[in-house]
Amino acid sequence: LNRCPQVVLHTEPGRGAEADVLALPELAARPQAERPLERLEQFHTGHEGRVLFTAESAGRRQGLQERLTRTGIEAKPVRGWREFLDGDAETAITVAPLESGAQIDGIALVPESALYGERARQSRRRRSSASTDPAAVIRDLSDLHEGAPVVHEDHGVGRYVGLQSLSVGDVTTEVLTLEYAGGDKLYVPVSALDRISRYTGADADEAPQHRLGSDQWDKARRRAAKRARDVAAELLDLYARRQARAGDACLFDDEAYEAFAAAFPFEETPDQQAAIQAVLDALRSDQPMDRVVCGDVGFGKTEVAMRAAFAGVQAGRQVAMLVPTTLLAQQHYQNFADRFADWPVRIESLSRFTGKKGHEQALARIANGEADVVIGTHKLLGSEVQFKNLGLVIIDEEQRFGVRQKERLKRLRAEVDVLTLTATPIPRTLNMSLAGIRDLSIIATPPERRLAVKTFVHEWNEGLIREACQREIQRGGQVYFLYNDVKSIERTANQLRELMPEARIAVAHGQMRERELEQVMLDFYHQRFDILVCSTIIESGIDIPTANTIIIHRADRFGLAQLHQLRGRVGRSHHRAYAYLLAPPPNAMTADALKRLEAISQLEDLGVGFALASHDLEIRGAGELLGDEQSGQIQEVGFTLYSQLLERAVKDLKAGRDPAPEAELESGVEVDLRLSALLPADYLPDVHTRLVQYKRISSARTDAELDELQVEMIDRFGLLPDAARNLFRTAALKLRAEALGIRKVEAGPSGGTIQFGPQPQIDPARLVQMVQQEPDKYRLDGQQRLHLRADLTDESPRFEAIERLLERLQANEEVAG
């Protein structure tokens, strides 16, 4: 808190009040993890005067107020400083973005940052980390539509029907309705949506539909679990071989690295910073790195590569950067040269643009170790390239390389650290990352002021093309017209010249001479042309901020990742960009082409590269991971559940347990307090949005995640109604019960019941003692049930009674430990 010696608070224009900085030594001196709000109670009790707490938003204010109430501090909400001064409340809370605390004439100002050790804004920015969890992206229900196949972990694959309200007595709840074979319906409470996931398989249209009450699903899951166990054993063998290949840790000068990082002209996004840290930690490890960094075009992957390259060079190693195209190699070379200009780092380029003499000189410098960073195309993989001390290989857009190049890369991977950059990982890469064979970082946070690219799918229409080009040119921009047939590209360019005689039009493709192609791209960069008719040579990395419209001819012939990459050539600045995908009529396209165009047109938000890759996983199939035998199991139970079975088998084997082939996933915890726990339609009218929020709440794994979700909802939709607050409290109870090994929690007006699982994490002796001391309140029913007798007619006492009971059981568990 002692960031500055003095603070001036302006209560009104022209008026100020000198204030001493408020120090809370008993809070500030302790590590963040050891600073519970209970410590604040000591300050509040000992402070003589009024106290005003501040939070950054209405959502954070409500969350902080609830935590204060739990510690016995009642803070009255006020609209601001003036209302607090005019009022008589001894303790109040308001919304104000203060960073430091202060004392003014006996009034203590306590900002939220003083309680948590950092700015609330930073923790709010970290909320995006949930969206960057690869498994969470796959399990998300955000693009679920009626009729879509979904997987219930206990009942199998059904079809999503919709959200439905049910009333039982005085209690209204909302359920997700699933339809199974024979028209049977399954109603899933919204608090149990963590048991639901999207069905992700080779062809969702052909997903199975299981029958409720039959053993069909159990058999399918048993087969998948057995196969997952076999694959897990192979994975662990791979892990063991990787660990046996321990290499040298990459040790570099932290001060030099900090100076290099400080020269980055932009502020790192939270995801970008997390990816950088993960890469640096992996480099410092003595295990070979194999990390994939997935982020949309323009989201800062190149900076991650530059930081890794700097660390590698500082450690005395050579760095090779492999890129798919000559143009991208040239652009990366320029970017690296600019970024490393102040450092004694020699950067070389190997591509078609490198002349014969320059090529030979570069090879000599690479061989004798004079070249620190080498950027090149597939020429880097040639046998004539001999590195003296290669330590790090950076691969930009791995999916652009063929099978032979990848085999060469696999051999490299056993010897050096490998960092792969991609906007949309291919299904195999995504599959391996989710299975844990390769580490994965996702950069999903867009840079500030970046706008999403508006995407349209149309048939060929000269009026539309002319209008799109004229609109872009009139606002001072440029247009890419992508036509991927070199034989007729000049004819198409002439057709456009007749359509728009006022526009300056140039042509660029990969069969042009190197210098000619370089000159055309340079002229386009300097806006000497308005429209560039080009092939897919512009797909990777060409950064032209003024080009903000792209028209793609025969978009149905491109893959999903390629379409996303091409769309990323525009929208690199703060201007709104447009992408027009020209395709034949739907009946003239394949089913997969229709799915690709539908996916890319629907997912046009920033940071959707990973979601598009998961769609690609569905359209094309997961691909071979270790062998093709598992594809049938993935089709039967869906990729998501198969991944969970695989993850569980790996954990069991790592822990020394031998999972039985018929191993099943544990059943979820059921919490029923006979209270309305939902997001009311008048609070959140959009059904789709409610479904997404339900899924996020039920899938939260910590109290901190629930708190952040609650803050976000209040900030987005307003203060929570009682039913929504009940939903969050129910989710928190579920987490506590799950940690104690409790299977079911029920409560009503006259008491409640706790049903323990097969291996509860409590001390039986302590539990028996609790029952003996309060026989009128507690009663054991066998070894699996504990009954609570109490008057729990009102909502709040019902929650509090169950929370206290779980706390006592938690205390028993701690004593037992």
Side-chain angles (χ1 to χ4, degrees):
L1 286 174
N2 296 304
R3 298 181 184 174
C4 55
Q6 201 172 47
V7 171
V8 177
L9 288 177
H10 294 283
T11 57
E12 292 179 3
R15 287 187 58 189
E18 297 292 331
D20 294 326
V21 169
L22 171 65
L24 302 181
E26 71 278 10
L27 296 177
R30 294 166 60 86
Q32 184 179 343
E34 299 176 13
R35 280 187 236 156
L37 285 177
E38 286 80 352
R39 298 284 298 174
L40 184 64
E41 196 172 359
Q42 299 176 13
F43 160 78
H44 187 259
T45 305
H47 176 71
E48 296 180 1
R50 303 171 71 190
V51 179
L52 177 63
F53 294 97
T54 67
E56 278 210 345
S57 67
R60 301 202 70 84
R61 181 188 66 186
Q62 182 163 330
L64 177 59
Q65 187 179 6
E66 290 177 358
R67 296 189 195 101
L68 291 173
T69 301
R70 289 200 291 268
T71 62
I73 300 173
E74 294 295 335
K76 178 185 177 181
V78 293
R79 284 194 295 270
W81 174 252
R82 175 54 57 192
E83 183 176 324
F84 174 67
L85 287 181
D86 294 342
D88 56 1
E90 289 296 315
T91 305
I93 184 169
T94 190
V95 175
L98 296 184
E99 291 190 55
S100 301
Q103 287 200 114
I104 310 168
D105 298 329
I107 297 175
L109 274 174
V110 182
E112 188 180 12
S113 57
L115 306 178
Y116 301 119
E118 61 178 359
R119 294 204 64 183
R121 182 182 296 118
Q122 293 172 335
S123 71
R124 186 162 67 247
R125 288 177 73 181
R126 282 202 306 272
R127 278 205 300 269
S128 64
S129 63
S131 66
T132 63
D133 171 25
V137 174
I138 290 290
R139 294 176 191 147
D140 191 15
L141 299 180
S142 59
D143 57 350
L144 198 62
H145 56 85
E146 290 191 17
V150 294
V151 183
H152 191 292
E153 293 177 12
D154 301 322
H155 302 286
V157 183
R159 297 296 183 270
Y160 170 66
V161 176
L163 280 176
Q164 181 177 344
S165 292
L166 291 180
S167 296
V168 180
D170 297 333
V171 178
T172 301
T173 187
E174 204 161 19
V175 295
L176 184 115
T177 308
L178 302 180
E179 184 175 319
Y180 285 81
D184 294 340
K185 297 285 199 308
L186 177 69
Y187 300 108
V188 184
V190 290
S191 60
L193 287 196
D194 55 316
R195 313 293 293 168
I196 299 290
S197 58
R198 282 196 309 121
Y199 175 88
T200 308
D203 190 348
D205 293 336
E206 298 178 8
Q209 191 167 12
H210 295 114
R211 184 175 294 278
L212 288 178
S214 71
D215 60 353
Q216 181 186 10
W217 172 243
D218 289 336
K219 287 180 179 178
R221 193 163 68 167
R222 200 172 292 125
R223 285 192 297 268
K226 182 180 185 302
R227 179 57 191 152
R229 179 183 180 276
D230 296 339
V231 173
E234 294 179 60
L235 280 177
L236 288 183
D237 183 52
L238 276 178
Y239 288 146
R241 277 187 278 163
R242 276 174 65 181
Q243 290 172 353
R245 279 200 317 267
D248 297 327
C250 180
L251 304 177
F252 52 90
D253 183 0
D254 287 336
E255 288 189 12
Y257 170 78
E258 291 298 333
F260 178 79
F264 183 50
F266 307 100
E267 182 183 357
E268 298 91 345
T269 63
D271 295 344
Q272 189 183 24
Q273 186 61 52
I276 291 170
Q277 192 58 50
V279 169
L280 294 180
D281 291 344
L283 289 174
R284 288 192 180 101
S285 168
D286 58 2
Q287 301 296 326
M289 177 177 73
D290 188 5
R291 178 167 288 274
V292 180
V293 175
C294 175
D296 266 6
V297 284
F299 275 35
K301 298 188 299 294
T302 303
E303 179 64 17
V304 178
M306 287 183 178
R307 303 274 181 102
F310 183 85
V313 172
Q314 283 290 307
R317 302 179 182 181
Q318 289 176 297
V319 178
M321 185 170 192
L322 187 64
V323 298
T325 66
T326 303
L327 286 174
L328 182 56
Q330 187 70 9
Q331 180 159 325
H332 273 319
Y333 174 75
Q334 293 294 339
N335 290 340
F336 270 70
D338 292 343
R339 189 79 169 81
F340 284 82
D342 296 333
W343 298 89
V345 176
R346 177 127 198 178
I347 300 170
E348 295 288 349
S349 175
L350 285 180
S351 69
R352 284 195 302 150
F353 288 164
T354 310
K356 184 177 180 182
K357 184 178 179 181
H359 187 76
E360 291 175 355
Q361 291 175 345
L363 289 178
R365 284 191 285 266
I366 293 169
N368 62 28
E370 290 181 20
D372 299 307
V373 179
V374 185
I375 300 169
T377 57
H378 61 279
K379 286 181 177 290
L380 268 181
L381 300 175
S383 57
E384 74 276 9
V385 181
Q386 299 294 325
F387 288 91
K388 183 179 181 181
N389 182 26
L390 182 62
L392 171 65
V393 174
I394 302 169
I395 306 165
D396 199 4
E397 300 302 335
E398 183 186 27
Q399 76 270 17
R400 299 291 307 281
F401 294 97
V403 175
R404 287 183 184 176
Q405 288 98 342
K406 288 182 182 177
E407 289 302 316
R408 166 85 168 140
L409 294 177
K410 285 180 186 174
R411 290 194 292 274
L412 283 176
R413 196 169 286 149
E415 304 158 11
V416 299
D417 292 317
V418 178
L419 174 64
T420 301
L421 312 176
T422 180
T424 50
I426 55 176
R428 178 186 172 86
T429 299
L430 179 59
N431 198 0
M432 293 174 74
S433 299
L434 293 180
I437 299 176
R438 304 177 70 181
D439 297 318
L440 177 66
S441 295
I442 301 178
I443 303 179
T445 312
E448 285 193 25
R449 301 180 68 196
R450 177 68 61 84
L451 300 173
V453 180
K454 294 294 291 181
T455 305
F456 307 95
V457 179
H458 285 282
E459 297 178 29
W460 176 277
N461 183 316
E462 290 188 351
L464 174 75
I465 294 171
R466 177 175 172 80
E467 181 187 349
C469 293
Q470 282 184 330
R471 185 190 300 116
E472 185 60 54
I473 293 170
Q474 285 172 2
R475 67 172 180 170
Q478 295 167 280
V479 179
Y480 288 115
F481 189 98
L482 194 138
Y483 186 87
N484 205 33
D485 185 356
V486 175
K487 293 179 182 178
S488 55
I489 195 169
E490 285 290 350
R491 186 170 70 243
T492 302
N494 289 330
Q495 189 177 351
L496 288 175
R497 289 186 182 104
E498 292 177 6
L499 190 62
M500 285 165 292
E502 71 279 11
R504 298 167 297 173
I505 298 175
V507 175
H509 56 79
Q511 294 182 18
M512 297 169 67
R513 291 194 302 272
E514 290 89 342
R515 296 302 171 192
E516 184 183 359
L517 175 61
E518 187 178 14
Q519 188 59 49
V520 168
M521 296 307 301
L522 198 61
D523 288 343
F524 189 64
Y525 179 81
H526 289 293
Q527 294 185 276
R528 297 184 183 119
F529 299 113
D530 301 313
I531 301 173
L532 184 68
V533 182
C534 53
S535 65
T536 52
I537 194 168
I538 59 122
E539 177 179 346
S540 295
I542 307 304
D543 189 358
I544 300 180
T546 52
N548 284 304
T549 292
I550 185 169
I551 302 170
I552 302 175
H553 180 258
R554 289 306 300 265
D556 57 307
R557 293 178 176 175
F558 296 98
L560 192 54
Q562 200 172 18
L563 284 172
H564 181 60
Q565 190 75 7
L566 289 167
R567 182 173 67 178
R569 294 307 99 214
V570 296
R572 312 284 292 208
S573 65
H574 59 276
H575 295 292
R576 170 71 74 183
Y578 300 91
Y580 296 87
L581 311 182
L582 306 182
N587 56 8
M589 290 188 285
T590 65
D592 281 357
L594 277 171
K595 288 180 184 178
R596 287 194 296 269
L597 292 177
E598 182 183 3
I600 196 151
S601 60
Q602 287 181 352
L603 291 173
E604 60 181 21
D605 292 337
L606 293 167
V608 299
F610 193 89
L612 280 169
S614 69
H615 276 279
D616 214 10
L617 190 70
E618 296 177 48
I619 295 167
R620 293 166 54 187
E624 180 188 357
L625 182 61
L626 295 172
D628 57 5
E629 294 177 32
Q630 62 183 327
S631 59
Q633 314 302 336
I634 292 175
Q635 180 67 18
E636 249 187 315
V637 302
F639 180 77
T640 304
L641 183 59
Y642 181 81
S643 298
Q644 290 176 264
L645 289 168
L646 180 61
E647 182 182 358
R648 183 172 180 266
V650 168
K651 284 182 180 177
D652 284 345
L653 288 173
K654 278 185 176 179
R657 298 187 295 269
D658 188 15
E662 65 274 7
E664 296 183 357
L665 294 175
E666 299 175 3
S667 298
V669 179
E670 184 180 343
V671 177
D672 181 11
L673 301 191
R674 298 174 198 168
L675 296 171
S676 293
L678 73 160
L679 301 174
D682 56 357
Y683 174 70
L684 225 175
D686 184 63
V687 173
H688 176 76
T689 307
R690 286 209 306 276
L691 176 63
V692 173
Q693 297 304 322
Y694 282 137
K695 175 66 174 175
R696 294 178 68 193
I697 293 168
S698 64
S699 299
R701 305 311 305 158
T702 64
D703 286 335
E705 284 183 39
L706 283 174
D707 288 343
E708 290 296 335
L709 275 172
Q710 185 169 331
V711 167
E712 180 186 336
M713 285 194 64
I714 294 172
D715 289 343
R716 288 178 63 188
F717 310 116
L719 295 178
L720 297 178
D722 290 341
R725 290 163 64 91
N726 290 345
L727 181 65
F728 276 99
R729 293 186 76 171
T730 301
L733 285 177
K734 187 175 174 182
L735 291 178
R736 295 185 189 180
E738 188 175 17
L740 292 171
I742 292 171
R743 181 67 56 81
K744 189 173 184 179
V745 177
E746 291 182 295
S750 59
T753 302
I754 303 288
Q755 181 178 332
F756 299 106
Q759 295 180 324
Q761 301 297 309
I762 62 173
D763 180 9
R766 288 277 186 164
L767 178 60
V768 171
Q769 183 182 14
M770 188 176 76
V771 173
Q772 290 175 343
Q773 289 176 348
E774 300 177 81
D776 294 338
K777 191 172 184 180
Y778 301 112
R779 178 175 62 84
L780 274 173
D781 181 4
Q783 296 183 350
Q784 299 299 319
R785 282 186 177 83
L786 174 66
H787 294 285
L788 164 69
R789 286 191 292 268
D791 180 11
L792 305 178
T793 306
D794 296 331
E795 290 187 6
S796 188
R798 195 175 304 178
F799 272 110
E800 291 167 2
I802 299 299
E803 286 168 353
R804 281 197 301 269
L805 177 55
L806 293 182
E807 283 175 7
R808 294 188 68 176
L809 293 173
Q810 177 73 37
N812 293 339
E813 188 256 340
E814 288 172 356
V815 172

